[in-house]
Amino acid sequence: MGNGTLADDRTGAGQRFPASVKHTRFFRLPLIERYLITAVTRPLLAILGICMALFASYGAADLMGDVANGLLATNSIATMIGLRLLIALEVLMPVALYLSIVLSFGALYANSEFTVMWALCVTPWRVLRAVLVPAGACALLVAFLSLAVRPWAYEHLHTLAYRSTLSLNTDALRGGTFYVIHGGNRVIHVEGRMRAEGPARHVFVMDKKDDRSLRVVSAETGYALPPNGKSGTLVRLEQTHVYEIALAPDASDRILSSTVDTVDPTAHETEDPQLNAAATPTLALLRSKNLADISELQWRFSTGISTLLLSIIAIALSGGRPRQTRYGRVGLAMVVYFTYYFLVTAMRTWLQHGQIGAFPGVWLAVLLLALGAAFSFSRVIRGRR
C-alpha cells in the first residue's frame, strides 16, 4: 500500500511504513487506524486553511469598500475580519472535514490501498473508528463554536459595526450613492461635491426614529466640522429643510427651515441596537419561546451532530473503482452536502415564520441526514461481505 505493506500492529508481520506514520503513536491505535487518521488530517488542515484564507480575503475586500466610503473606521478591519472568521468556522470546518475524507479515501481507492485492506480483513467498522477520531474532535469544536463562540462573536461584531457607523466620515461620502446604516434606520445621499473632499451639494438624510415618525433633512450644502473632543464629529448643514413625517394616525406632520444647522450624527440614538437571535447567548435562547430563537437554538445543537453524520456519509461517497481518480466522487459528494445545507436552511426559515412546528423543526433535516448516513454505511458493510 503506497510506500509499505499493511498489517496490524499485533501481528508483528508488517514491514516498513513512512516515518510520519510509523512514529505517530497517538492514542495507541493500531497501525491501520493511525494511517487512516493521518490520511484524513493532512488534507483537512490544508483545506481548512485555504477556506479560511479565501473567506478572510473576501471579507477584507468587502470591508475595504466601506472604509473607502467612510462607513467604517480603518482600525476596525482586523477585528471585524477575525470575528467574521470565528462565525464562519462552524460551517467551514465541517465542509473541510467532509471534503478531506472524500479526497483522501478517494486516493486510497484509486491506489487500490483499500483493496489491500479488505484483503487483510479490515472491516468498515475499523475504518469508521479511525474516521471518528478526527471527526469527533471536529464535532466537539464545532459544537463549542456554535454554542459559545459564535453568539459572542456576533454580539461584538454588531457592537463594533454600530459604533463604527456612529463615527461616520462624511467627507469620504461619494456623490450619487445611497448609504444605508443603522440597520436601515438612516439613509444618506449626497448628489455631488463642489471639489475633491470639499463640501457636499444637495445632501439628503432620512432618519426613522420610531414607528411614529420619519425625519427627512434636505440641505443645499454640508461639511464636517473639526472634532472638539466632547461630542465628536459635527456636521454643518446650510439652507436646510426638515420634514417631520407622521406615521401614526394621531400624529401630525411638521416642516422646519433654517439657514444654518449643526447636527451630531450620533445624537439620534444613544443605545446599541437590539441583538438578533444569532447574537443571543445559548442560555437565553433556552428560556425563549420565540420561534426565531428556537430555530437558532436547534441549529446550534445540530451542527456538531451533522458534522459526525456527514463524515460517515463521506466514507461511503469516497468509494470508487480501482484506478479511478480521487476526484471521481467529489461532484456527487458536493451535491449531497448542498442538498442537506439547503434543506436545513429551509427548515430554519420555515420554523422562524411558523410554517412548521418547533418539533421536529430543524431536527427533521438532521434525522434525514442520519437515515442517509445509516443507509450509505450499510451499503459499505454489505459491499465487503
Side-chain angles (χ1 to χ4, degrees):
M1 177 175 127
N3 297 322
T5 61
L6 276 171
D8 198 304
D9 280 355
R10 293 167 294 184
T11 64
Q15 298 179 12
R16 184 174 57 86
F17 267 82
S20 59
V21 178
K22 182 178 179 181
H23 297 291
T24 305
R25 298 298 179 184
F26 47 85
F27 304 123
R28 297 295 179 181
L29 288 172
L31 182 59
I32 292 178
E33 279 82 344
R34 297 202 307 271
Y35 184 80
L36 294 175
I37 292 171
T38 303
V40 171
T41 304
R42 286 180 175 176
L44 167 62
L45 297 176
I47 295 173
L48 182 60
I50 293 173
C51 290
M52 292 174 61
L54 291 175
F55 184 86
S57 301
Y58 176 81
D62 182 40
L63 293 177
M64 288 301 296
D66 291 340
V67 172
N69 294 329
L71 299 178
L72 185 64
T74 306
N75 56 5
S76 302
I77 295 179
T79 304
M80 296 188 73
I81 291 176
L83 292 174
R84 287 185 175 185
L85 197 56
L86 287 176
I87 294 171
L89 274 177
E90 69 167 0
V91 175
L92 296 180
M93 189 171 294
V95 172
L97 175 65
Y98 183 72
L99 286 177
S100 66
I101 296 174
V102 173
L103 291 175
S104 60
F105 280 21
L108 296 181
Y109 275 106
N111 297 331
S112 301
E113 297 184 58
F114 265 120
T115 304
V116 177
M117 280 191 271
W118 306 141
L120 292 173
C121 298
V122 175
T123 65
W125 292 106
R126 289 188 61 182
V127 176
L128 177 62
R129 183 175 68 171
V131 170
L132 288 181
V133 173
C138 288
L140 290 176
L141 185 55
V142 168
F144 175 71
L145 289 170
S146 296
L147 295 173
V149 177
R150 179 170 169 266
W152 173 86
Y154 259 122
E155 179 182 2
H156 283 72
L157 186 63
H158 287 177
T159 302
L160 186 60
Y162 171 75
R163 292 176 180 174
S164 296
T165 55
L166 291 182
S167 58
L168 179 67
N169 183 7
T170 54
D171 286 337
L173 300 181
R174 294 182 300 178
T177 303
F178 285 92
Y179 296 93
V180 181
I181 58 179
H182 298 316
N185 290 326
R186 165 169 287 187
V187 178
I188 300 176
H189 179 267
V190 176
E191 183 176 301
R193 293 189 177 276
M194 297 179 180
R195 59 182 183 276
E197 298 185 359
R201 295 185 298 106
H202 300 160
V203 180
F204 170 89
V205 181
M206 185 277 293
D207 275 318
K208 185 179 181 181
K209 297 182 177 180
D210 48 40
D211 294 334
R212 296 179 56 84
S213 64
L214 190 69
R215 187 171 184 263
V216 179
V217 179
S218 176
E220 287 293 325
T221 59
Y223 53 91
L225 298 176
N228 55 23
K230 295 181 180 180
S231 58
T233 301
L234 300 177
V235 177
R236 176 68 55 83
L237 299 177
E238 298 178 350
Q239 302 299 324
T240 306
H241 300 280
V242 181
Y243 305 89
E244 296 279 355
I245 303 174
L247 301 179
D250 58 342
S252 57
D253 299 338
R254 293 194 305 168
I255 301 177
L256 304 173
S257 300
S258 64
T259 304
V260 178
D261 191 11
T262 302
V263 297
D264 184 356
T266 68
H268 76 291
E269 195 170 11
T270 58
E271 297 181 357
D272 289 354
Q274 291 185 349
L275 301 176
N276 57 21
T280 304
T282 301
L283 291 178
L285 293 181
L286 289 171
R287 299 188 295 267
S288 176
K289 301 298 182 182
N290 183 273
L291 290 179
D293 293 342
I294 295 174
S295 174
E296 173 67 21
L297 182 65
Q298 292 183 1
W299 161 258
R300 293 183 189 179
F301 279 109
S302 69
T303 53
I305 300 174
S306 62
T307 301
L308 287 175
L309 296 176
L310 285 170
S311 64
I312 298 175
I313 293 178
I315 297 175
L317 292 178
S318 61
R321 298 181 302 273
R323 302 303 175 184
Q324 183 183 19
T325 174
R326 69 170 68 185
Y327 307 105
R329 307 297 293 273
V330 173
L332 177 60
M334 295 309 300
V335 169
V336 172
Y337 176 81
F338 283 115
T339 300
Y340 168 72
Y341 191 80
F342 172 80
L343 181 61
V344 74
T345 303
M347 293 294 179
R348 291 181 64 187
T349 304
W350 294 340
L351 178 55
Q352 291 173 4
H353 293 85
Q355 297 177 346
I356 60 175
F359 182 81
V362 176
W363 294 114
L364 179 59
V366 180
L367 176 61
L368 294 176
L369 183 67
L371 294 176
F375 174 75
S376 60
F377 191 70
S378 65
R379 293 190 60 185
V380 175
I381 296 176
R382 289 196 302 268
R384 303 280 71 80
R385 290 177 180 175

